[in-house]
Amino acid sequence: MKMELHVFKGGVHPPQSKHTKDCATVLMGVPSKVVIPMVQHIGAPCQPVVKKGDPVKVGQLIGDTEAFVSAPIYSSVSGTVTSVESRIISGSSPIVCVEIAPDGRQEVFEGVKPPVVDSQEAFLKAVRASGLTGLGGAGFPTHIKLNPPKETKVDTLIINAAECEPYITSDNRECIENTPAIVEGIRQVMKWTEIPRAIIGVEDNKPEAIKKLSEAISAIPEIKVCSLKSRYPQGAEKMLIFALTGRQVPPGKLPADAACIVMNVGSVSFLANYLKTGMPLIKKRLTVDGSAVKNPKNVEVLIGTSIQEVIDFCGGFSTEPSKIIMGGPMMGVALPSLEIPIIKNNNAILALDEKKAAIPEESPCIRCGRCVKACPMNLLPFELDRLVKANDFESIGQYNITDCIECGSCVYACPAKRLIVQSIRLGKDHLRRTVKK
Ligand code: SF4
Ligand code: SF4
């Protein structure tokens, strides 16, 4: 039976530039050192449970906390802890990091064993113990997502394999290379959370992924694969839920309020492997691409590896990079240094040359309305930009600024190249700070 798809309002069609879609994932070896931050998720930071000089093994716990919204952190290598100290990572406030000198032996910690899962409670405990946080980029602890308030009756598990950001192909490779694990992970989540159906949403520019997933679920009527029209930001949770179910997530609410839970395709695949082996989250698949990268590829990297070493593994730079981005070109974050480590929710590194990275100069808004048409959240981006630039922070709340998902569609559509998202981030930051006071 063909599913009826719903088309979300707005969105844009940036060039896809998925150059690495056919590049099978290559495993990167053990780096010269790993630096593992104690904040890799939305929520409370972990506290280190190791100290300088301690020997550690692969999969050994190195950070945890009793805070509800959090996820434990594990060593990705065997070796010796060389420091536990606060560092500035990517322009943030200082974060405690555990640095480990690998011994190259990659000895697995004795406590790495498949969890015993015989109830929903044990399943959720295992999900927390795995260290899993949303691997699509959000970094929300998965054990909380899978345990919504009892009054919200979830009936649909949505698997996000849309991957609508230009350049990024790591989820596409996950679908092609780890199809059985994806299906097994979905079955496990459905079984233990009692969600009766699952839909895997994949954009139609990934035909091989759609074919492999469709074949793998052909005998499982509760799981469907749905081919979505390629349109950015199709992979944003609210857009995906609407496209696949026709349900709207109310402003300020969560997918569970629309009876859905959304998981990234890499998250379910990881979960299946964790339940089988007990090896927690210690590595990440990334797309490394951009006009300044010599050999773009998809690569599986140990968490804590520096971006410099990942770039070196990809042959280094072909030309002087003007901008390094963590993530895609639409929503990614420009990085100040190559010494920043890979963490759980990283899915791409882009290095762009001067021409590709050039930011056109802003010119005055001509009130053309293209940003409004492009906005999937029904906002007035030009007005938010104007109010923030005029320091009129009193009024921005009335324009639902907190609904903005920072997708950048408005900026992409704007002929005056207004830096609308920057204004919106400033405005949200101001609201957060004033509400806290
Ligand atoms: S205002 Fe926000 S949600 Fe709307 S297009 Fe711009 S960045 Fe996206
Ligand atoms: S698209 Fe740009 S120029 Fe047009 S209304 Fe929006 S901000 Fe103004």
Side-chain angles (χ1 to χ4, degrees):
M1 190 183 75
K2 204 162 165 41
M3 278 188 60
E4 189 193 344
L5 285 184
H6 300 263
V7 180
F8 69 89
K9 177 206 160 279
V12 288
H13 294 274
Q16 294 178 0
S17 307
K18 298 212 180 248
H19 315 116
T20 56
K21 67 178 176 14
D22 298 321
C23 298
T25 310
V26 186
L27 306 184
M28 183 178 160
V30 181
S32 64
K33 68 174 181 189
V34 291
V35 174
I36 305 183
M38 294 291 104
V39 180
Q40 299 192 33
H41 48 261
I42 291 175
C46 288
Q47 302 304 319
V49 298
V50 290
K51 59 182 186 321
K52 186 176 173 182
D54 282 355
V56 288
K57 292 184 178 171
V58 178
Q60 181 174 339
L61 184 76
I62 58 169
D64 205 352
T65 166
E66 287 183 358
F68 179 61
V69 183
S70 68
I73 294 171
Y74 296 88
S75 178
S76 56
V77 294
S78 63
T80 306
V81 176
T82 48
S83 78
V84 178
E85 61 186 17
S86 290
R87 298 183 183 200
I88 302 281
I89 304 276
S90 180
S92 62
S93 346
I95 293 172
V96 176
C97 296
V98 174
E99 182 178 310
I100 303 167
D103 59 17
R105 293 201 289 270
Q106 288 303 82
E107 282 180 71
V108 173
F109 181 58
E110 300 73 21
V112 171
K113 292 192 178 87
V116 176
V117 174
D118 51 10
S119 66
Q120 187 178 78
E121 196 189 343
F123 175 71
L124 293 172
K125 211 170 143 197
V127 175
R128 186 189 188 280
S130 76
L132 181 60
T133 60
L135 298 185
F140 190 72
T142 305
H143 64 284
I144 298 174
K145 182 183 271 197
L146 293 180
N147 191 19
K150 294 284 171 257
E151 63 275 13
T152 53
K153 186 79 193 129
V154 172
D155 63 13
T156 308
L157 174 66
I158 288 181
I159 304 302
N160 191 350
E163 202 165 54
C164 59
E165 270 259 7
Y167 288 95
I168 308 178
T169 62
S170 48
D171 282 352
N172 178 48
R173 294 313 308 175
E174 184 78 50
C175 294
I176 294 167
E177 296 170 24
N178 281 332
T179 327
I182 293 167
V183 176
E184 177 57 18
I186 295 170
R187 291 178 81 136
Q188 290 292 332
V189 173
M190 290 172 73
K191 174 178 172 184
W192 295 111
T193 57
E194 297 174 1
I195 299 176
R197 69 164 178 166
I199 310 172
I200 309 173
V202 193
E203 280 198 340
D204 58 8
N205 58 0
K206 303 170 190 71
E208 195 182 348
I210 293 172
K211 184 168 176 280
K212 288 204 84 165
L213 289 165
S214 302
E215 284 168 3
I217 54 99
S218 59
I220 314 172
E222 302 80 23
I223 308 178
K224 293 199 165 16
V225 175
C226 190
S227 167
L228 301 158
K229 261 205 151 339
S230 301
R231 187 155 64 117
Y232 181 84
Q234 182 65 83
E237 273 190 347
K238 290 184 179 181
M239 277 76 247
L240 195 59
I241 290 170
F242 183 67
L244 296 174
T245 67
R247 298 175 192 167
Q248 305 261 16
V249 180
K253 297 285 182 185
L254 295 170
D257 295 294
C260 295
I261 284 178
V262 182
M263 289 182 78
N264 172 262
V265 71
S267 299
V268 279
S269 166
F270 161 78
L271 208 46
N273 285 323
Y274 173 73
L275 294 173
K276 209 155 74 180
T277 65
M279 179 56 75
L281 187 55
I282 56 154
K283 55 190 179 179
K284 191 69 211 292
R285 185 194 308 262
L286 306 169
T287 298
V288 185
D289 197 358
S291 53
V293 176
K294 205 165 197 177
N295 303 315
K297 47 175 68 110
N298 283 298
V299 52
E300 196 168 79
V301 176
L302 293 171
I303 285 172
T305 303
S306 72
I307 291 177
Q308 178 70 65
E309 290 202 44
V310 177
I311 295 278
D312 290 346
F313 183 70
C314 296
F317 295 120
S318 54
T319 182
E320 185 65 31
S322 180
K323 195 177 193 181
I324 315 280
I325 301 172
M326 183 68 89
M330 301 296 283
M331 291 188 79
V333 179
L335 298 178
S337 154
L338 291 176
E339 282 312 307
I340 288 168
I342 299 301
I343 60 169
K344 294 175 182 179
N345 62 353
N346 294 153
N347 54 8
I349 300 167
L350 303 183
L352 303 176
D353 63 22
E354 203 178 343
K355 198 168 154 212
K356 287 269 181 197
I359 300 173
E361 218 170 296
E362 272 188 303
S363 54
C365 172
I366 54 170
R367 298 264 164 168
C368 65
R370 285 186 213 173
C371 57
V372 180
K373 203 164 161 227
C375 180
M377 297 304 292
N378 288 317
L379 302 176
L380 298 177
F382 71 91
E383 192 60 7
L384 290 168
D385 183 43
R386 186 188 71 76
L387 290 168
V388 172
K389 283 186 171 118
N391 285 327
D392 185 355
F393 295 108
E394 294 273 297
S395 309
I396 51 173
Q398 298 159 21
Y399 286 85
N400 302 328
I401 192 169
T402 50
D403 286 351
C404 171
I405 56 170
E406 299 178 20
C407 66
S409 298
C410 50
V411 179
Y412 184 81
C414 176
K417 300 300 162 206
R418 307 289 299 166
L419 300 176
I420 304 168
V421 176
Q422 279 186 14
S423 298
I424 288 175
R425 283 185 186 145
L426 271 175
K428 282 187 183 176
D429 191 49
H430 181 89
L431 280 188
R432 259 193 301 270
R433 279 185 286 113
T434 44
V435 166
K436 267 186 193 164
K437 276 180 190 165

